[in-house]
Amino acid sequence: MSTELPPVAPEVLAEAVESLTARLRKKLDDATAGCADAATRETDGSVTFRFGEDAVVTLRPGPAGTVTEAGQATCTCLLAPRCLHRAAALGAAPLADAAPPEPEPEPESAGSAADGTERAPAAASAEAEAEGASDEPAESVPALTAAQLGAAAALWHAAAEALAAGVTAGGAVVQAELLRAAHTARLAGLPRAEAAALRVVRGLRAARERRTAHRLGDLTGSFRELLHTAGVLASGTAGPALTGTSRRAYTPGGSLRVQGLCREPVLSATGYGGVVTHLLAPDGSRYSISDVRPGGLARARGAGRASVALGGATLDHAGLARGGLRIVGATVSPEGRLGAGRGVKATPLPGAAWTDGPAAPLFARPAAEAVAELLAAPAEAAETETALIGCDVTVVGAAGDHLLVREAVPHAPLLRLLPAHPHPELPHTENLRRIASYPGLRLRVLGRPDLDRAATLRPVAVGPVPGAQYTLRLPEDWLGRADLGYDRLQGEHFPAPAAATEAAGEAGPVPAAHAPDPLADAPLWRVRRLLETGVAGGRRAVAEAARAAAAQAAYGPLRRAGLTAAADLATALAAEADRRPRDAFGRLADPSPDGYAWAWLAAATHLAAAERSLVAASWTATPNGATPAAS
């Protein structure tokens, strides 16, 4: 069993790789492979790696458990610290976050936030937009500094080189160049660009190590975001949204009265785990309280009943999700997270069912209307990924890895329910599988729309439909909802099977295996495959695909479907990938990857917009209840 390695700061790894000679860099990937299995944790908390008889690398993490300084990684060989052993050991360790979590600045006479981490996953509340929040005149966008423009240009170049290399050639040296550029972006005050670069590096690592959680589509999306962010920043026309903020200030929020909505586990790829509890104010404003710290799965599973660290409130997260709080001296972040400063006082309140209080409006309109508002927002807005919507549905049945349901509104399309978190140790998947065995079951669902899939909802909590006969039978102390990430539905929570036959007929005549999917049926998959081929195999793989005999006719279906822009962009990408002009001596006349990166980004951006339109259409109700076809 391999030893768990301490996270390493990106700049420490980048510096170690940069100090190697060209000959040693060629050996780095082979030297890094297998390092983690040979690591040994010592009694003082350090981790050692033995390379032969004379070289021992020692990683001594700081108080936070992270290697943040070059001096915390040492080697006993004669070439140290510019040695292959030290760089390989650092490369085998996981990447640390860009900066250790810092407590939020304390508002005057209000106290500071103390929720432990700024690495908020998708479960956290969405960021509110800074612009348009008041009637005051908009301020002019500040110009980027020379340091920011230079950092963005360097990051663009590193990202373009990594894209041209692809996963197959995107080893430790390519990753180190990205990390170096990311660190420069951080120092220049471009935290969003830095975070995008770190996601790409983590994706390259996962792909090269063939981890089960790796998805090529996710890495493709990460490359698109990085190139878009760096490219616009380098042009000097970016606004504050692309610059990003490294710290989110908490401001005084006065007195608040909030009711618990639900809770869900948080499990990030960087080793953080915990819980976030969603809250609603009487005016419909959304808040959240999170408890996310290092600890991974064990922390996520146990945090559901951890105490709420807010103003002395004697509640755990399970009680808060079905209860309420009266808060005096509240501190609130821009995305609605409640801080736990010294001046905050909180008193528990009785809970309310979803049918009463501020939660009732969530289920008062069709899900398609709520999704339409999210899709109308800018694609990069955090709200589009984290907002919760509610709807009443009837279970149709299981279809592959998802559950088909139909919303209880006239002519509604079929919706797909997927686990909010697919980890097998969390009960999301098991709960959905049990629900699928009750066709016709009426269900009240609170979930997060998956805007990358056609008509897909990832439920966080479920409850019975008021007035329905064939619906859930939950205990009274659950207040009419079950948190799918913590509560496990049992047979006693479902109605007797006597009414199952009659209720199953209400689910609709559409077979579960034939649910329409305009996103899957559209020929846009041809563009997606080309983009993913470039990410996996690099520029050379795209060029080879363009030379194939069938390449000329590959985009005919796109043109016949009216997707001429997608066809033109894909054709331009393939042509640019194969454009390698050489001089009279056979040397590359234009070795820069910029043209290829811009062509790839143009095709990827158009594809994302086209797929977003198809997803929007999949939520639209039609007279016969079918999902609209792609135009």
Side-chain angles (χ1 to χ4, degrees), residues 44-445:
D44 61 354
S46 63
V47 177
T48 58
F49 305 77
R50 182 170 294 278
F51 295 85
E53 297 181 357
D54 301 325
V56 177
V57 176
T58 303
L59 302 183
R60 294 184 175 86
T66 302
V67 177
T68 57
E69 300 177 3
Q72 294 174 336
T74 60
C75 181
T76 59
C77 77
L78 297 178
L79 292 178
R82 300 175 178 175
C83 64
L84 180 65
H85 315 116
R86 180 173 174 271
L90 289 171
L95 280 179
D97 291 330
E102 300 181 34
E104 295 296 337
E106 183 174 317
E108 295 182 7
S109 69
S112 63
D115 48 9
T117 177
E118 281 301 322
R119 298 291 299 171
S125 300
E127 254 185 56
E129 295 185 11
E131 266 66 42
S134 68
D135 296 328
E136 298 178 2
E139 297 181 359
S140 59
V141 177
L144 297 181
T145 65
Q148 289 176 322
L149 292 174
L155 187 56
W156 163 266
H157 181 73
E161 292 283 2
L163 178 67
V167 172
T168 54
V173 175
V174 172
Q175 294 171 27
E177 292 296 330
L178 270 174
L179 294 178
R180 169 63 68 186
H183 181 58
T184 304
R186 171 188 170 188
L187 296 179
L190 302 175
R192 177 166 175 170
E194 179 204 16
L198 293 184
R199 280 193 292 272
V200 168
V201 173
R202 290 190 176 105
L204 288 172
R205 283 189 166 194
R208 291 178 61 84
E209 296 171 8
R210 299 182 179 180
R211 300 177 192 169
T212 55
H214 164 69
R215 290 180 65 244
L216 188 57
D218 293 339
L219 182 54
T220 302
S222 297
F223 262 111
R224 184 186 71 245
E225 181 183 356
L226 173 58
L227 288 169
H228 168 73
T229 304
V232 177
L233 286 171
S235 71
T237 60
L242 276 186
T243 303
T245 55
S246 58
R247 300 179 68 180
R248 301 184 179 101
Y250 280 59
T251 57
S255 298
L256 293 176
R257 181 187 180 99
V258 293
Q259 288 287 337
L261 186 61
C262 64
R263 60 185 164 145
E264 59 174 320
V266 174
L267 186 59
S268 75
T270 54
Y272 285 93
V275 63
V276 59
T277 298
H278 299 279
L279 308 166
L280 280 176
D283 62 357
S285 300
R286 304 190 183 195
Y287 299 93
S288 67
I289 296 178
S290 61
D291 183 1
V292 183
R293 301 174 187 174
L297 176 63
R299 183 76 174 73
R301 296 176 64 182
R305 291 196 170 275
S307 298
V308 176
L310 183 70
T314 57
L315 275 178
D316 59 15
H317 281 271
L320 179 57
R322 295 183 173 96
L325 285 176
R326 180 183 288 109
I327 307 172
V328 178
T331 59
V332 187
S333 73
E335 69 272 18
R337 293 171 61 188
L338 297 177
R342 291 188 300 272
V344 179
K345 303 297 181 183
T347 305
L349 296 174
W354 280 351
T355 54
D356 305 321
L362 291 176
F363 306 93
R365 62 173 177 170
E369 292 184 10
V371 173
E373 288 187 3
L374 297 178
L375 290 170
E380 64 272 12
E383 176 71 12
T384 62
E385 298 181 356
T386 60
L388 295 175
I389 67 172
C391 58
D392 293 345
V393 300
T394 301
V395 174
V396 175
D401 61 345
H402 53 263
L403 169 64
L404 286 180
V405 299
R406 190 184 295 281
E407 192 176 1
V409 296
H411 313 307
L414 286 172
L415 304 182
R416 296 164 177 81
L417 301 188
L418 285 176
H421 203 298
H423 197 287
E425 296 298 322
L426 297 174
H428 292 99
T429 303
E430 180 185 344
N431 283 331
L432 288 186
R433 188 180 297 117
R434 185 175 288 273
I435 292 172
S437 62
Y438 290 84
L441 183 73
R442 298 292 306 281
L443 200 65
R444 176 156 282 189
V445 177

Side-chain angles (χ1 to χ4, degrees), residues 336-617:
R337 293 171 61 188
L338 297 177
R342 291 188 300 272
V344 179
K345 303 297 181 183
T347 305
L349 296 174
W354 280 351
T355 54
D356 305 321
L362 291 176
F363 306 93
R365 62 173 177 170
E369 292 184 10
V371 173
E373 288 187 3
L374 297 178
L375 290 170
E380 64 272 12
E383 176 71 12
T384 62
E385 298 181 356
T386 60
L388 295 175
I389 67 172
C391 58
D392 293 345
V393 300
T394 301
V395 174
V396 175
D401 61 345
H402 53 263
L403 169 64
L404 286 180
V405 299
R406 190 184 295 281
E407 192 176 1
V409 296
H411 313 307
L414 286 172
L415 304 182
R416 296 164 177 81
L417 301 188
L418 285 176
H421 203 298
H423 197 287
E425 296 298 322
L426 297 174
H428 292 99
T429 303
E430 180 185 344
N431 283 331
L432 288 186
R433 188 180 297 117
R434 185 175 288 273
I435 292 172
S437 62
Y438 290 84
L441 183 73
R442 298 292 306 281
L443 200 65
R444 176 156 282 189
V445 177
L446 183 69
R448 184 171 293 109
D450 187 339
L451 300 183
D452 292 329
R453 296 171 180 261
T456 299
L457 194 64
R458 294 188 179 269
V460 174
V462 297
V465 175
Q469 295 297 320
Y470 194 63
T471 188
L472 291 176
R473 305 286 190 263
L474 300 180
E476 291 186 7
D477 57 346
W478 285 19
L479 284 182
R481 67 257 204 185
D483 298 327
L484 294 179
Y486 289 105
D487 300 321
R488 294 186 181 272
L489 296 175
Q490 306 294 335
E492 61 187 10
H493 300 145
F494 291 88
T501 304
E502 178 181 354
E506 302 175 2
V510 180
H514 296 88
D517 187 344
L519 193 59
D521 296 339
L524 287 171
W525 63 267
R526 299 171 185 272
V527 183
R528 191 183 313 114
R529 183 172 65 180
L530 182 67
L531 294 171
E532 292 180 353
T533 297
V535 170
R539 178 174 184 166
R540 179 178 299 180
V542 176
E544 291 176 353
R547 299 191 198 107
Q552 299 298 325
Y555 306 119
L558 286 168
R559 300 186 188 279
R560 289 191 292 272
L563 301 169
T564 55
D568 291 343
L569 289 171
T571 302
L573 171 60
E576 181 63 31
D578 201 27
R579 189 183 67 83
R580 306 287 280 179
R582 297 181 182 273
D583 59 18
F585 299 97
R587 297 171 300 192
L588 285 176
D590 182 15
S592 172
D594 286 357
Y596 170 74
W598 281 117
W600 187 95
L601 178 59
T605 302
H606 182 273
L607 175 65
E611 290 183 334
R612 194 177 180 89
S613 297
L614 288 174
V615 169

Side-chain angles (χ1 to χ4, degrees), residues 3-28:
T3 300
E4 183 176 352
L5 304 182
V8 172
E11 61 271 21
V12 175
L13 173 58
E15 182 180 359
V17 176
E18 188 177 11
S19 67
L20 297 178
T21 63
R23 180 179 64 85
L24 292 179
R25 289 188 184 189
K26 295 178 180 179
K27 301 180 179 181
L28 182 56

